Amino acid sequence: MTFFETLVALLAVAILLLQITRRMHLPYPGILAAAGVAVAMLPGAPTIPIDPPTALALFIAPVLVDSAYDFPVGAARRMLLPLFFYAIVAVLVTTSVVVSISILTVGLPLVVAVALGAIVAPPDAAAATAVLSNLPVARRVDALLKGESLFNDATALLLFGAALTVQARGGLDGATALQIGFAAPGGILFGIVFGFFVSRLRPVTENTVGGTLFQFVYAFATWLIAEHLHLSAVLATVASAMTIAALATVDDSPRMRVHSFAVWTTVVFLLNVIAFLLMGLQARRILEAMSAEELERALGFAAIVVVGVILARLAMAFLLHAIVVSRHRRGKMLAPFTSGETLLVGWSGMRGLVTLATAFALPGEFPERDLVVLTAFAVVLATLVIQGATLAPMIHFLKLGRQAEVHEELEAARRSLAEAAFQRLEKEGGAEAEAIRTICRDHWTEPSDSAKTAPLARRRNLTIAAVIAQRQRLEELRDADQIGPTQYLELQEDLDWKQLSVGSEEDRRITES
């Protein structure tokens, strides 16, 4: 099988598995990891080399831009202490644990042990988010997990880059130390400046296919330029995406947002599929090259590292809990998580795409490379399967889910939006303004419990019935060649937005139940 044939096969399997995991509330990365191994072990699966420097830019840059663009900066300010703790302190402690295990058990050199620690230290929020999207928990828990995954990558990759630099140069000198020390602040500064520059170019490409392609170009360009300048590519990419998001206005094209969201969601999923396939192929090659004695040594070492990173994460979670409780008792503003939330955060330490991509980035001549790559893959596979599969039961057992509250928040937000529109049009005259005010007033005024469902459900059903009739007429116009394909797509998108404006199918089912 060629790489393309193997990829198509895995994509087909991934689509099927995604439907299963969605219904069973399991994180899809864990299933993808198992599928990647299974496909890689098939007879005839190709051996595919990957350029180490390309791996980080290809797999990590789009994921960071996708997450950073939507991350609320206000949440980061309110949760500065937990974010700092998990993004820096926890990564350093986990790396130290892995370094100790590596030196004491298999005698890895210090630089190699630091590289391995940096590879497996940062958790990936993708797996946790896949579960939490179906079983929502407290907003601060969700914000912490997503925010942590943005910034812990920077800490881990700075350590990883430092280890590679020291290994390549044979030691740590003054110039190397200065370069490492300037990487983080320089990356942030470059990202902000580059973000300002990109935000000035974006309007030129709005509402075009080139606009979406431009988003990927600036994501990869930010990473590559930062690397050539010996700056932190992670922090530069995150800073640029957040800067562009901060400079966005309410006048930005809604069509562009809808299109970009669909494209980026698909691309991030595709990158996960490819990464797990490539890691499965590498694991197969390593296993085939190892003797029985070497394999026993590697698997035993990997098992100890898996236990070490899981326990280190749990210890850090409860240590932070104790610190926040102590500060809260002294009058600090940050309220502590509950013990159940703390356990959930500590257990949400699945490793994923970043760990895989960093393992790919190891040079071919790196000492003990096969052992490091195999251990990294074992950590990813074990944490995704063990922790990822038990997140949903844990949320149910600890009663941390808040589906009903999320639905109520959504309805309250819709009423607030309707109130804003009503107030804007309150002094406008004419039948047109009155018709819009009536719609806004219906959404704004919360009905009593006895009359809460019927009017809202009837209005939604009638709106959807009208949209369906419009869709049928639009199809007739296209079949009769009375409208061009471009205009057809534009009107079809307008009808999609109109249908979405009355709520999703899930909202309708909840309202009608």
Side-chain angles (χ1 to χ4, degrees), residues 1 38 88 105 115 178 190 250 262 300 356-357 362 383 395 400 434 494:
M1 294 175 68
I88 298 179
T105 56
L178 182 62
F190 167 73
V250 294
L356 295 181
L362 280 172
T383 55
I395 293 173
L400 298 176
E434 181 58 31
D494 289 339

Side-chain angles (χ1 to χ4, degrees), residues 208-497:
T208 66
V209 175
T212 305
L213 291 176
F214 179 63
Q215 294 172 1
F216 287 97
V217 169
Y218 93 71
F220 291 123
T222 306
W223 184 284
L224 296 174
I225 295 173
E227 280 203 330
H228 283 298
L229 295 175
H230 303 292
L231 305 175
S232 171
V234 173
L235 290 177
T237 304
V238 171
S240 67
M242 285 187 166
T243 300
I244 294 170
L247 294 174
T249 67
V250 294
D251 297 326
D252 285 354
S253 168
R255 293 184 188 278
M256 195 69 189
R257 279 196 296 270
V258 171
H259 184 259
S260 296
F261 178 81
V263 171
W264 279 85
T265 301
T266 304
V267 168
V268 170
F269 178 73
L270 179 61
L271 289 175
N272 272 278
V273 173
I274 295 174
F276 283 113
L277 171 60
L278 290 175
M279 180 55 84
L281 293 173
Q282 284 213 9
R284 186 196 66 179
R285 180 191 61 78
I286 293 171
L287 292 175
E288 290 175 348
M290 282 185 170
S291 64
E293 183 179 345
E294 290 173 333
L295 181 59
E296 182 180 355
R297 168 178 175 262
L299 294 179
F301 172 64
I304 298 173
V305 172
V306 169
V307 174
V309 297
I310 292 177
L311 293 181
R313 169 79 177 188
L314 288 170
M316 289 296 98
F318 282 97
L319 175 60
L320 177 63
H321 179 72
I323 293 172
V324 174
V325 168
S326 176
R327 287 169 57 86
H328 188 64
R329 288 173 179 169
R330 297 199 302 267
K332 302 296 182 181
M333 294 299 294
L334 182 64
F337 285 5
T338 65
S339 297
E341 291 172 339
T342 300
L343 179 60
L344 176 64
V345 172
W347 196 246
S348 300
M350 290 80 72
R351 273 61 178 176
L353 187 59
V354 173
T355 296
L356 295 181
T358 313
F360 290 148
L362 280 172
E365 67 279 2
F366 193 79
E368 296 279 8
R369 185 184 189 277
D370 287 351
L371 176 62
V372 171
V373 171
L374 190 61
T375 303
F377 188 51
V379 171
V380 172
L381 189 62
T383 55
L384 285 177
V385 172
I386 297 172
Q387 293 179 297
T390 54
L391 269 182
M394 177 181 291
I395 293 173
H396 284 300
F397 179 76
L398 298 176
K399 296 181 173 58
L400 298 176
R402 51 192 302 271
Q403 295 93 316
E405 292 86 343
V406 168
H407 176 67
E408 291 174 2
E409 289 174 1
L410 182 61
E411 290 299 324
R414 283 181 175 145
R415 289 194 297 271
S416 181
L417 296 179
E419 177 186 0
F422 181 85
Q423 291 176 349
R424 169 61 182 83
L425 300 174
E426 190 172 11
K427 296 181 181 179
E428 298 288 341
E432 299 86 356
E434 181 58 31
I436 299 175
R437 280 198 297 269
T438 300
I439 296 174
C440 294
R441 188 186 297 111
D442 290 342
H443 283 83
W444 174 20
T445 306
E446 183 177 6
S448 61
D449 291 338
S450 60
K452 190 169 186 177
T453 58
L456 185 59
R458 176 172 171 75
R459 181 166 57 247
R460 287 176 173 171
N461 289 335
L462 289 176
T463 300
I464 292 174
V467 170
I468 291 174
Q470 289 176 300
R471 290 188 191 281
Q472 293 171 345
R473 178 60 58 84
L474 182 61
E475 294 295 329
E476 294 171 1
L477 292 174
R478 184 180 65 167
D479 293 342
D481 199 25
Q482 296 180 16
I483 187 172
T486 302
Q487 292 72 32
Y488 169 82
L489 292 175
E490 184 174 338
L491 291 174
Q492 185 183 60
E493 187 178 1
D494 289 339
L495 292 177
D496 289 340
W497 287 0

Side-chain angles (χ1 to χ4, degrees), residues 197-208 211 214 252-253:
F197 173 72
V198 170
S199 65
R200 296 296 181 266
L201 297 179
R202 286 181 65 202
V204 179
T205 61
E206 286 287 272
N207 292 322
T208 66
F214 179 63
D252 285 354
S253 168

